[in-house]
Amino acid sequence: MSDQVRQQAIAARAASRVLAATSEEVRNQALEAIAAALEANRERILAANAEDLKAGEQDGLASPLLKRLDLSGHKFASTVEMVRDVCAQPDPLGQTQSATELDDQLHLYRVTVPIGVIGVIFESRPDALVQIASLCLKSGNAALLKGGREATITNQTLAEIMCEATQGILSEGWMTLLPGREEVRALLGEEELIDLIIPRGSNEFVQYIMHNTKIPVMGHADGVCHVYVDASADLDKAVQIAVDAKTQYVAVCNAAETLLVHSGIAPAFLSRAVPALLARNVELRGDERALALANANGQVKPATEADWSTEYLDLMLAVKVVDSTAEAIEHINAYSSHHTDAIVTEDSEAALTFLREVDSASVIHNASTRFADGFKYGLGAEVGISTNRLHSRGPVGLEGLVIYKYILQGDGHIVDMYDGQQQRPFTHRPLDQHWQA
């Protein structure tokens, strides 16, 4: 098995070098071919997806996971739209980030290039395969992909259609689907051939990946996201945002898991928010003060210490009453997974303090945490969410899949001209020009 994965990684490395030199026109042609092929094969894809859904139901797969697995309806159309949206994004490659004159006719450029070969291990959402592959293609990276076993048939079908669509346009090996867990273990040992691993899954899974490879890892573990309703919040906005952040789509990492409420507004807010959340079948778990204010009918359960750090991915929400914005920030920075956290307030000073001091990849004022998404941010799509503090943070789109290299162009210049006995000074003057390939 390890030999097979190594050969696939070698092929991906070769394909990545060709893809890195491919024009934007060719990459866009391949993306449009993929979008057209997905549309033409809609029934074939949905039939494969129905098989996975049936198997998931028989295996007792939880309802939120079945929802993530389902590719029918609007989700299929959105998946195709996402491919075209990635295609329409500006070319991330060959962009001049800086240009400096070191001396007359000695010019230094910093130019964006692909990372190389990216291994992505993702959850049971088959639309994630299309997102990831499209982003890797547009950014000139070869992709080794491993999806969740729940979506095995759907992923195989999608990968076959996408590879068939790009035959004659791209080099074979630009995208490879790894079918089993054994391949993942082998993948983690190929540090000479794979440049980056992006895991999407549980905290336990991400930690396993990080501790079992020498390859750089980019991603996030949990999505413990908060909505804080400040004393100066508009009640209509606050109820609407809290309900949307929790219930709009519960099985995703940017859904709210904890609701913090300022004591000054808690009676008025909870009297409206609790019925609205219960009407959406949300199970509420509150601290002592939340219970006292909202538990007249016994509909709110007592929260435990574990609730403050739990990613439910389900219709459950922990509720805590706090006495200040500072206390809310302290709670969030202690229990948050540094993914996405929001404040609802009409107090600009409270909002600014929250936005500055909450240590998360996305921090939001008067809007739902569900906006923390590559497509919604205008990135075309996302390969995942990163809570890393190096290279890329938040929704990782095309910019997060490129790095840069320095290009120095001279005219017979040698270092001895500057370090020798007759030391010539550098000019180090910024240039208002771009490197031309």
Side-chain angles (χ1 to χ4, degrees):
M1 187 61 68
S2 60
D3 288 343
Q4 179 183 353
V5 171
R6 182 166 184 77
Q7 291 307 311
Q8 291 170 326
I10 290 171
R13 172 63 76 198
S16 74
R17 288 174 176 147
V18 176
L19 193 57
T22 300
S23 69
E24 181 189 18
E25 180 182 5
V26 171
R27 284 177 276 125
N28 285 346
Q29 180 187 354
L31 285 165
E32 178 52 42
I34 287 171
L38 293 175
E39 289 176 326
N41 287 275
R42 182 178 185 275
E43 296 308 316
R44 176 185 166 191
I45 294 166
L46 293 182
N49 190 232
E51 289 188 55
D52 282 328
L53 285 167
K54 182 179 179 180
E57 290 172 354
Q58 291 174 344
D59 292 342
L61 199 63
S63 176
L65 295 179
L66 285 171
K67 188 175 181 180
R68 295 177 80 153
L69 178 59
D70 190 355
L71 197 56
S72 62
H74 178 67
K75 192 185 289 187
F76 184 88
S78 296
T79 301
V80 177
E81 179 188 359
M82 178 275 305
V83 178
R84 292 199 166 107
D85 200 65
V86 170
C87 182
Q89 296 295 308
D91 190 4
L93 301 181
Q95 301 302 312
T96 301
Q97 296 182 328
S98 66
T100 305
E101 179 196 82
L102 305 188
D103 197 357
D104 184 40
Q105 298 300 309
L106 183 61
H107 295 172
L108 178 68
Y109 303 90
R110 196 172 84 174
V111 180
T112 56
V113 295
I115 291 173
V117 179
I118 300 177
V120 187
I121 309 161
F122 56 97
E123 71 284 19
S124 60
R125 290 170 49 196
D127 54 313
L129 181 146
V130 182
Q131 284 189 38
I132 294 162
S134 297
L135 287 166
C136 286
L137 194 168
K138 178 79 175 188
S139 58
N141 295 287
L144 293 166
L145 308 177
K146 171 66 180 75
R149 62 179 181 82
E150 300 89 352
T152 297
I153 301 172
T154 312
N155 285 339
Q156 287 175 342
T157 303
L158 288 168
E160 288 171 7
I161 290 168
M162 294 173 72
C163 288
E164 288 167 3
T166 57
Q167 283 182 356
I169 304 174
L170 303 177
S171 296
E172 186 176 348
W174 75 270
M175 178 182 76
T176 302
L177 182 65
L178 306 176
R181 290 184 178 180
E182 297 80 7
E183 284 88 345
V184 172
R185 285 191 286 270
L187 189 76
L188 299 181
E190 295 295 345
E191 64 269 14
E192 294 179 3
L193 295 168
I194 300 170
D195 301 294
L196 180 67
I197 296 284
I198 303 177
R200 294 173 42 156
S202 68
N203 181 39
E204 180 182 6
F205 172 70
V206 174
Q207 293 300 319
Y208 170 82
I209 297 296
M210 290 179 172
H211 295 149
N212 286 276
T213 187
K214 296 179 182 177
I215 303 169
V217 177
M218 179 172 70
H220 77 281
D222 295 327
V224 182
C225 302
H226 298 73
V227 172
Y228 166 53
V229 179
D230 184 53
S232 299
D234 177 287
L235 283 173
D236 290 334
K237 291 180 188 176
V239 173
Q240 184 171 297
I241 289 169
V243 171
D244 183 87
K246 177 68 260 183
T247 68
Q248 197 275 330
Y249 190 3
V250 299
V252 285
C253 57
N254 59 11
E257 307 292 17
T258 298
L259 177 63
L260 302 175
V261 187
H262 193 288
S263 56
I265 202 173
F269 172 74
L270 291 175
S271 68
R272 294 177 57 177
V274 169
L277 290 162
L278 292 174
R280 297 290 191 98
N281 299 312
V282 178
E283 178 185 308
L284 297 172
R285 302 178 179 187
D287 71 343
E288 289 185 7
R289 288 198 284 179
L291 289 172
L293 289 168
N295 204 27
N297 298 319
Q299 294 174 299
V300 182
K301 297 181 178 180
T304 67
E305 176 65 21
D307 284 309
W308 309 126
S309 56
T310 297
E311 182 183 28
Y312 300 112
L313 296 175
D314 205 346
L315 288 168
M316 299 176 186
L317 182 66
V319 184
K320 181 181 178 68
V321 177
V322 297
D323 290 320
S324 65
T325 300
E327 185 181 347
I329 293 170
E330 183 179 359
H331 178 96
I332 290 170
N333 285 338
Y335 292 100
S336 170
S337 58
H338 310 295
H339 187 298
T340 301
D341 299 291
I343 181 174
V344 186
T345 187
E346 300 304 305
D347 182 338
S348 58
E349 280 299 315
L352 186 58
T353 299
F354 187 94
L355 297 175
R356 282 176 172 169
E357 296 183 12
V358 168
D359 183 23
S360 295
S362 285
V363 194
I364 295 174
H365 175 211
N366 282 352
S368 172
T369 59
R370 287 282 292 114
F371 280 104
D373 170 84
F375 180 76
K376 295 179 181 69
Y377 277 8
L379 306 180
E382 68 183 41
V383 72
I385 299 279
S386 173
T387 53
N388 289 6
R389 299 174 189 278
L390 297 173
H391 181 62
S392 186
R393 200 177 190 202
V396 181
L398 295 170
E399 288 187 2
L401 296 179
V402 298
I403 191 63
Y404 56 80
K405 66 181 177 184
Y406 285 100
I407 296 174
L408 181 63
Q409 293 183 315
D411 187 26
H413 294 79
I414 59 173
V415 170
D416 196 52
M417 295 167 60
Y418 306 90
D419 284 359
Q421 291 182 347
Q422 302 294 324
Q423 291 188 4
R424 182 181 174 94
F426 290 105
T427 58
H428 288 154
R429 182 175 65 88
L431 294 172
D432 186 20
Q433 64 188 56
H434 297 280
W435 178 72
Q436 297 295 323

